[in-house]
């Protein structure tokens, strides 16, 4: 069996599942694994490092993959757009910022252009810009995001953008989430946390273990990790990650973190080098509840499809025809 | 057609849709309307006022309804439990606090006991307490709530409590939300915002208008309205409502609000009396996106069921059998 939606047609894929371009985690191997399994892998260009991008595109080998970049960061390194487009990605996804300056350059290429949104106004802008697909991202997503939650946000975006395929993101890591997203009117899903602990993911061993052992209650949004990493994110978005001793120390004292920045950055960087996840950022979302093991990405994706099919059949059986007697009434 | 789940069996209802016991909004007329339409109406006892409860139980007439109370508030007015149980409610729902002291008294009655949870640990406690059903409430809900989002939270709760029916709450106001909740493994839904602007709702005319005209992006969680109303809510929960001039003034200056409390409470109360919704609390959730009109609750509920059926059929068709050729491969 398979689940076929207009998004599958648009992107030329078998299953309506995209790998979220997790910065530094969704490398070429993971993107390729998701694509070979029938979805579409997007490598996570993040803040943009030409060497990293070249290496990870190479690591994807012959796989047909796409890429995702952080828009406000791309604006500071616009040459990276050419680097990415020269690789002829199946799709380019931009998130967090103003993509208007890049529209005409992107439109010169064959790549499908996907924009991720966190508000209804952003969805309207993306529709007006003529994007090929829109990711409606809920606040339960790992990494950067806004305040809306996936379940009510997706149908509201669908009502606005109508015929443009909407991809649900945030909180989706198994077949139940995929089935729910389709029920909400989405044409597919974008999954980060679900693939974070994949064998092919570039996350560290301890980060994968922390994510698998943790749960959604243990994640929260804050700016702590952005400040510690010296990233000047616009105030519209902050980052969801696992709570740990570092976030507990600074969560309620951002001013204090800023005052102690050199020492705290050094401590954070040392912990990163040592893979100490009680201090570094394990960037997963509430779907941490639903990831139970390290495994190849293909196993995750195929289980997701098969579970979604099972759930769609199961809930289909809940719909009962009215009996003859009632029809006669 | 109809959608039949174990929750329908448990509660003796036709449709797996419960009216959220919105304090002061879900009165007897609204609860009765939802029950007569085939769901289960829960009157919103809120902080507990004996006269209000008596009046609203009377207003429900012969309808088979239930009730919901705020647990920490009930602990201060425990006699209200007898008042409610004497009405033989079809279900009693407790939210926000420790219900252990009331368990044996509730178990003496025929009523079904439902507990609303916002964390995985609360779900485990409710399972251990032997409750009849569990409401897994996401942060997108209007009114008081926690931080988890409905889409990833519901399946995580289902995985914990297994055979106990889980009712999804937060962000669900149409048939797409109901279908998604069932896909996630829920056995039904609890809807507040979806019925807030019903003809039978006790919300004011301006509050209904504000909710219908507003959208989910215009709601946010804070403690502003609790402080203004002099309610000492435990810190685990805050309240989602429409943003307005009052929340914009105090959102980032809670200390200032506390310092100016007498004046601000007077201003808030005067606005309440005058039905000025740019100052008072219009307590709806992100599902405000999905409510488009004032109408009888029955119309909302029946459209929800019929839309859910349509969507379940639609997504059922997305599941494609593999062709003979591929089977032979």
């Amino acid at each position: 069996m398979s689940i076929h939606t207009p998004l599958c047609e648009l992107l030329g894929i078998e299953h309506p599942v995209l790998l979220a371009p997790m910065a530094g985690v969704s490398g070429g191997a993971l993107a390729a694994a998701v694509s070979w399994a029938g979805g579409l892998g997007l490598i996570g260009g993040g803040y943009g490092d030409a060497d990293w991008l070249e290496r990870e595109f190479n690591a994807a080998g012959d796989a047909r993959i796409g890429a995702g970049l952080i828009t406000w960061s791309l604006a500071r390194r616009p040459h990276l757009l050419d680097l990415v487009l020269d690789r002829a990605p199946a799709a380019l996804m931009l998130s967090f910022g103003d993509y208007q300056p890049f529209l005409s350059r992107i439109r010169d290429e064959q790549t499908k252009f996907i924009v991720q949104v966190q508000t209804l106004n952003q969805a309207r802008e993306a529709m007006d810009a003529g994007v090929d697909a829109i990711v409606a991202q809920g606040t339960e997503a790992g990494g950067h995001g806004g305040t809306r939650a996936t379940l009510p946000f997706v149908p509201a975006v669908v009502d606005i953008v109508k015929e443009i395929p909407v991809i649900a993101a945030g909180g989706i890591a198994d077949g139940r989430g995929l089935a729910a997203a389709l029920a909400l009117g989405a044409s597919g899903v974008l999954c980060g946390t679900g693939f974070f602990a994949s064998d092919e993911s570039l996350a560290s061993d301890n980060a994968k273990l922390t994510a698998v052992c943790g749960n959604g209650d243990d994640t929260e949004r804050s700016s702590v990790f952005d400040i510690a990493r010296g990233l000047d994110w616009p105030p519209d978005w902050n980052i969801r990650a696992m709570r740990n001793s570092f976030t507990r120390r600074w969560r309620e004292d951002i001013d204090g973190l800023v005052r102690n920045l050199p020492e705290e950055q050094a401590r954070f960087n040392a912990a990163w080098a040592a893979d100490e996840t009680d201090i570094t950022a394990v960037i997963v979302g509430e779907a941490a509840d639903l990831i139970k093991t390290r495994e190849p990405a293909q196993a995750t994706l195929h289980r997701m499809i098969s579970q979604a099919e099972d759930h769609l059949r199961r809930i289909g059986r809940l719909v009962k025809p009215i009996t003859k007697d009632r029809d006669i009434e």
Side-chain angles (χ1 to χ4, degrees), chain A residues 118-172:
Chain A
Q118 290 86 24
T119 69
L120 300 176
N121 277 340
Q122 290 168 5
R124 281 184 202 100
E125 286 165 11
M127 176 177 65
D128 293 342
V131 304
D132 295 302
I134 293 173
V135 178
Q137 185 208 35
T139 186
E140 54 265 66
H144 286 90
T147 60
R148 294 298 310 270
T150 304
L151 195 145
F153 187 51
V154 166
V157 170
V158 168
D159 286 344
I160 289 171
V161 307
K162 306 218 162 54
E163 296 306 313
I164 302 174
V166 172
I167 301 163
I172 299 163

Side-chain angles (χ1 to χ4, degrees), chain A residues 52-185:
Chain A
W52 190 94
L53 281 165
E54 295 281 12
R55 185 177 72 235
E56 297 304 328
F57 268 111
N58 290 340
D62 293 339
R64 184 173 170 275
I65 64 165
L69 294 168
I70 294 169
T71 319
W72 65 259
S73 182
L74 180 63
R76 300 177 183 180
R77 302 169 183 81
H79 60 284
L80 292 175
L81 185 59
D82 288 329
L83 185 158
V84 169
L85 291 175
D86 285 350
R87 293 296 191 134
L92 173 64
M93 172 172 154
L94 291 184
S95 311
F96 314 117
D98 179 14
Y99 45 85
Q100 299 287 343
F102 310 116
L103 266 179
S104 64
R105 174 72 186 90
I106 295 168
R107 283 314 191 190
D108 289 343
E109 306 291 331
Q110 292 295 312
T111 190
K112 300 299 178 190
F113 182 41
I114 303 172
V115 162
Q116 179 168 263
V117 306
Q118 290 86 24
T119 69
L120 300 176
N121 277 340
Q122 290 168 5
R124 281 184 202 100
E125 286 165 11
M127 176 177 65
D128 293 342
V131 304
D132 295 302
I134 293 173
V135 178
Q137 185 208 35
T139 186
E140 54 265 66
H144 286 90
T147 60
R148 294 298 310 270
T150 304
L151 195 145
F153 187 51
V154 166
V157 170
V158 168
D159 286 344
I160 289 171
V161 307
K162 306 218 162 54
E163 296 306 313
I164 302 174
V166 172
I167 301 163
I172 299 163
D174 67 13
R176 293 172 293 187
L178 170 56
L182 299 175
L184 294 171

Side-chain angles (χ1 to χ4, degrees), chain A residues 11-320:
Chain A
L11 299 177
I13 54 181
E14 185 179 356
H15 305 304
V17 178
L18 277 66
L19 167 69
M22 296 177 280
V25 170
S26 298
L30 180 55
V34 169
S35 286
W36 287 125
L40 183 66
L42 304 182
I43 70 171
Y47 305 92
D49 174 305
D51 291 342
W52 190 94
L53 281 165
E54 295 281 12
R55 185 177 72 235
E56 297 304 328
F57 268 111
N58 290 340
D62 293 339
R64 184 173 170 275
I65 64 165
L69 294 168
I70 294 169
T71 319
W72 65 259
S73 182
L74 180 63
R76 300 177 183 180
R77 302 169 183 81
H79 60 284
L80 292 175
L81 185 59
D82 288 329
L83 185 158
V84 169
L85 291 175
D86 285 350
R87 293 296 191 134
L92 173 64
M93 172 172 154
L94 291 184
S95 311
F96 314 117
D98 179 14
Y99 45 85
Q100 299 287 343
F102 310 116
L103 266 179
S104 64
R105 174 72 186 90
I106 295 168
R107 283 314 191 190
D108 289 343
E109 306 291 331
Q110 292 295 312
T111 190
K112 300 299 178 190
F113 182 41
I114 303 172
V115 162
Q116 179 168 263
V117 306
Q118 290 86 24
T119 69
L120 300 176
N121 277 340
Q122 290 168 5
R124 281 184 202 100
E125 286 165 11
M127 176 177 65
D128 293 342
V131 304
D132 295 302
I134 293 173
V135 178
Q137 185 208 35
T139 186
E140 54 265 66
H144 286 90
T147 60
R148 294 298 310 270
T150 304
L151 195 145
F153 187 51
V154 166
V157 170
V158 168
D159 286 344
I160 289 171
V161 307
K162 306 218 162 54
E163 296 306 313
I164 302 174
V166 172
I167 301 163
I172 299 163
D174 67 13
R176 293 172 293 187
L178 170 56
L182 299 175
L184 294 171
S187 195
V189 297
L190 179 91
C191 303
T193 301
F195 293 113
F196 183 88
S198 297
D199 290 340
E200 299 90 346
S201 146
L202 293 177
S204 74
D205 284 344
N206 278 344
K208 292 181 188 183
L209 188 66
T210 302
V212 166
C213 297
N215 63 53
D217 285 12
D218 297 333
T219 72
E220 73 178 355
R221 290 202 165 276
S222 82
S223 297
V224 168
F225 287 126
D226 287 335
I227 293 167
R229 296 184 299 171
L231 297 170
D232 51 338
W233 268 82
D236 288 346
W237 305 285
N238 58 14
I239 181 169
R240 182 179 295 279
M242 301 295 296
R243 246 182 231 113
N244 60 17
S245 72
F246 197 77
T247 59
R248 275 188 285 269
R249 171 66 186 87
W250 296 115
R251 178 76 175 82
E252 303 295 333
D253 185 17
I254 295 291
D255 291 346
L257 174 58
V258 171
R259 276 196 307 275
N260 292 279
L261 202 52
E263 304 90 302
E264 288 303 299
Q265 276 192 335
R267 191 162 75 97
F268 181 86
N269 291 337
W272 194 276
D275 199 10
E276 288 172 12
T277 56
D278 194 42
I279 296 175
T280 63
V282 177
I283 304 174
V284 292
E286 291 191 33
D289 289 326
L290 308 170
I291 59 172
K292 315 286 191 192
T293 184
R294 286 182 62 158
E295 62 184 359
Q298 183 192 51
T300 307
L301 197 155
H302 286 175
R303 190 176 53 248
M304 182 182 293
I305 299 299
S306 128
Q307 190 186 24
E309 291 167 355
D310 287 349
H311 274 257
L312 292 176
R313 274 191 290 266
R314 183 184 59 77
I315 60 178
R317 286 194 297 268
L318 298 175
V319 182
K320 296 233 185 286

